[in-house]
Amino acid sequence: MTRFVDVPTMSQLVQQIGVARFIGELADTIAQDFVRWESFDKSARVANHSEIGVIELMPVSDTARYAFKYVNGHPQNTQRGLFTVMAFGVLADVETGYPVLLSELTVATALRTCATSLMAARALARPDSRRMALIGNGAQSEFQALAFHHHLGIEEIAVYDIDPQATEKLIRNLADVPNLKIIRAGSTAEAVRGADIVTTVTADKAYATILTPEMIEPGMHINGVGGDCPGKTELHADVLRAGKVFVEYEPQSRVEGEIQQMPADFPVTDLWRVLAGQLAGRDSAEQVTIFDSVGFALEDYSALRYVNEQASRLGLGERIDLVPWSEDEDNDPKDLFRYTRSAKARKGLRRIA
């Protein structure tokens, strides 16, 4: 049978593990899978775009497990009381094709996104980083803040959003986090000034320039999260030229990431090669590093793998008949027609046989 993890179950899972521990363990899980990069059958996500949003399917597999995620991105949803991003996913057994897990991935995607940012920053940011700027204070912002505070030593975060209510929400949600200072900035430039790490996580589907060259300081690590589909950017092109750019899956990043605005031969570095020790990350303390994060299917594979392991360990999640499973040893796996009859009728037919 298939394990089913809905939103209330995911909430229970996160609470039992703890948000900070969940993020840290998930970052480790994603890093383990990135090091196995060449073991996976990979492709860019399949996207259906409209003028107001996008719906995507994100598949990936190795020899043991296949995973996919359904996810949307509709920035105007908040005006209708709906979330901008919603997702669910499946983890299946490659040998049989049977789904072992059907899970909500809206909450889990928020956690895997900040866990991926953390994984990249561990490899690319200066080890002495203590101050972060967080531009865009929507649904992803608290997760980013907690990831960098608990696991990277960030003590002070300057926050800014064009929507003051989003900033108030962020400050309210993080008010009880020990040893974390939140500073309300009046502009992006003010928030970024003096930051060791700059995270941009805005939602509008537009060619935006949230960060401009004059805001960039030597040694900064830029965690560009919001530019994640065609026609959607956050960084001025000269910001990219000023630093060393790292990507998840280059064929997808060329279409969806910040580097969509650059020539096809613009140099980038595969993050997985840095994690595997094949290539260097940051070359000096003064170098600007840029993680052009768009979100890749392997991260969702890791999230589904982690959720399945933890839900099994804690006994969480309902067991459902998502697909036909053998009810007993007398069932004929070539007889699908029996599922057009009631369970009582099927039992009667077995007795006659």
Side-chain angles (χ1 to χ4, degrees), residues 92-106:
D93 178 49
V94 167
E95 184 176 358
T96 65
Y98 271 71
V100 298
L101 174 69
L102 169 63
S103 178
E104 85 80 37
L105 282 182
T106 307

Side-chain angles (χ1 to χ4, degrees), residues 75 182 184 188 238 256 286 327:
I182 305 292
R184 185 188 289 102
T188 297
D238 286 341
E256 300 180 351
E286 295 74 29
E327 296 166 308

